[in-house]
Amino acid sequence: MPKEDFTSCGISLIGRSIRVLPEVSSTNELLKAEAEECLASEGTVIIAEHQTAGRGRLDRVWESPPGKSLLFSLLLYPEIPGDKMQLIGLMASLAVLNGLEVAQLKHLNHQIIHLKWPNDILGTKRKLCGILSEAGVDKNGRRFTVVGIGINVNQTLNDFPEPLRNTATSLYIMTGKKHPRTTLLKSILASMEDHYNRLLNEGVEWIPQTWLERAGIRGKKVEVKDSNNTISGTCLGLNPDGALQLMMPDDSIQTIYSGDVS
Ligand code: BTN
């Protein structure tokens, strides 16, 4: 595979500054620290070839061997109410899904890539991409969001830690082909810019609706696990703030703000 130059993948806002680091603890940690000190502008992207302390949702670790996946974080300053911040993660997952589809048109059957609430993308029902969206406040009191994205690109099954081998996948495993990460990144940043422009122009109301249509889980039975419980119900839809609404067997309605859905 030719040497990959990520720095030319930016669009006009998203990725107007792109930094590539051989190794960092976590791109989210670094970009959050820079944003807090007002040292990075909106649209900044930090990419790492390797993370020594990559983080996932629900305090999990995100592990990936060097050079085989796309690991990056993006800084946004969306002017939306604090209780709607979860929508940024949903928007990001729509943007990544769209970017993957555009870039992989020749190799991927669209039917095998799915959204999983809140921010995951599955390929052949296994985890292909995870998104960790974290809000913060900079030293001038402006609220920001760092969107951290990890996409499994060229890993073989043996590259994943043993406990993940039954639940993870990569584009390489799905297609039998190695994928240039620059093509993917460019397509994803372009799609992110389109989605973010829509948010800036129209607000956030379209996000839960569009996500639901694309995920196709309305009316389906789902199970949600958190650290203490597992509950099962029928998906009614999403709240305006992105929370999952379930109809329970006793006809009560439960609103789920976090957890693992299957
Ligand atoms: C999840 O599925 O739990 C979210 C995983 C998010 C991983 C990405 S990799 C780049 C960025 N930096 C991090 O430390 N985490 C995110």
Side-chain angles (χ1 to χ4, degrees):
M1 187 109 10
K3 187 165 163 28
E4 295 170 295
D5 177 13
F6 294 112
T7 55
S8 59
C9 293
I11 315 297
S12 64
L13 172 64
I14 307 296
R16 61 182 167 177
S17 157
I18 298 185
R19 243 176 312 142
V20 185
L21 305 174
E23 188 170 279
V24 69
S25 56
S26 150
T27 55
N28 265 37
E29 273 313 310
L30 178 61
L31 193 50
K32 264 172 59 188
E34 291 186 3
E36 277 160 12
E37 291 303 313
C38 301
L39 296 173
S41 59
E42 186 171 44
T44 295
V45 168
I46 298 181
I47 302 180
E49 288 291 4
H50 186 226
Q51 297 184 123
T52 53
R55 298 188 296 107
R57 279 193 322 119
L58 308 172
D59 288 330
R60 294 183 182 134
V61 294
W62 181 268
E63 279 183 75
S64 196
K68 297 207 168 180
S69 51
L70 260 180
L71 307 169
F72 64 101
S73 299
L74 160 69
L75 178 61
L76 298 175
Y77 279 85
E79 289 187 2
I80 61 176
D83 64 349
K84 297 278 191 292
M85 282 298 178
Q86 177 147 346
L87 296 177
I88 301 297
L90 294 178
M91 180 204 72
S93 63
L94 281 168
V96 173
L97 181 73
N98 178 257
L100 284 175
E101 288 178 343
V102 170
Q104 300 303 311
L105 226 45
K106 294 191 202 68
H107 309 294
L108 276 185
N109 169 357
H110 292 188
Q111 302 309 316
I112 60 178
I113 311 190
H114 291 109
L115 294 172
K116 182 180 143 189
W117 188 87
N119 303 328
D120 286 355
I121 298 176
L122 305 185
T124 54
K125 302 196 173 153
R126 290 160 170 254
K127 186 143 170 168
L128 178 65
C129 166
I131 297 176
L132 176 65
S133 166
E134 298 184 284
V137 180
D138 72 21
K139 65 178 185 187
N140 295 332
R142 254 183 108 196
R143 266 209 318 261
F144 64 81
T145 302
V146 167
V147 181
I149 300 175
I151 305 173
N152 299 327
V153 182
N154 289 324
Q155 291 102 319
T156 63
L157 210 48
N158 285 338
D159 286 324
F160 291 105
E162 168 62 38
L164 298 184
R165 287 187 197 155
N166 288 326
T167 56
T169 193
S170 70
L171 291 174
Y172 174 65
I173 295 168
M174 290 169 66
T175 61
K177 289 186 171 62
K178 293 276 165 99
H179 294 271
R181 293 173 300 159
T182 43
T183 314
L184 280 177
L185 182 69
K186 201 167 187 159
S187 180
I188 289 165
L189 297 186
S191 169
M192 196 67 80
E193 177 129 343
D194 289 345
H195 283 72
Y196 193 54
N197 278 335
R198 184 166 180 199
L199 178 152
L200 296 177
N201 292 327
E202 295 177 29
V204 291
E205 290 71 25
W206 59 277
I207 297 173
Q209 192 53 37
T210 309
W211 189 93
L212 256 185
E213 278 160 21
R214 198 59 187 75
I217 60 162
R218 204 200 294 267
K220 301 242 165 84
K221 289 249 179 306
V222 294
E223 213 174 62
V224 186
K225 287 191 187 125
D226 66 16
S227 41
N228 304 315
N229 289 299
T230 300
I231 61 167
S232 304
T234 304
C235 175
L236 293 176
L238 299 184
N239 266 359
D241 58 7
L244 192 64
Q245 287 205 303
L246 296 187
M247 168 79 84
M248 305 306 289
D250 64 2
D251 285 350
S252 64
I253 294 174
Q254 283 248 14
T255 303
I256 311 289
Y257 291 93
S258 74
D260 274 323
V261 170
S262 55

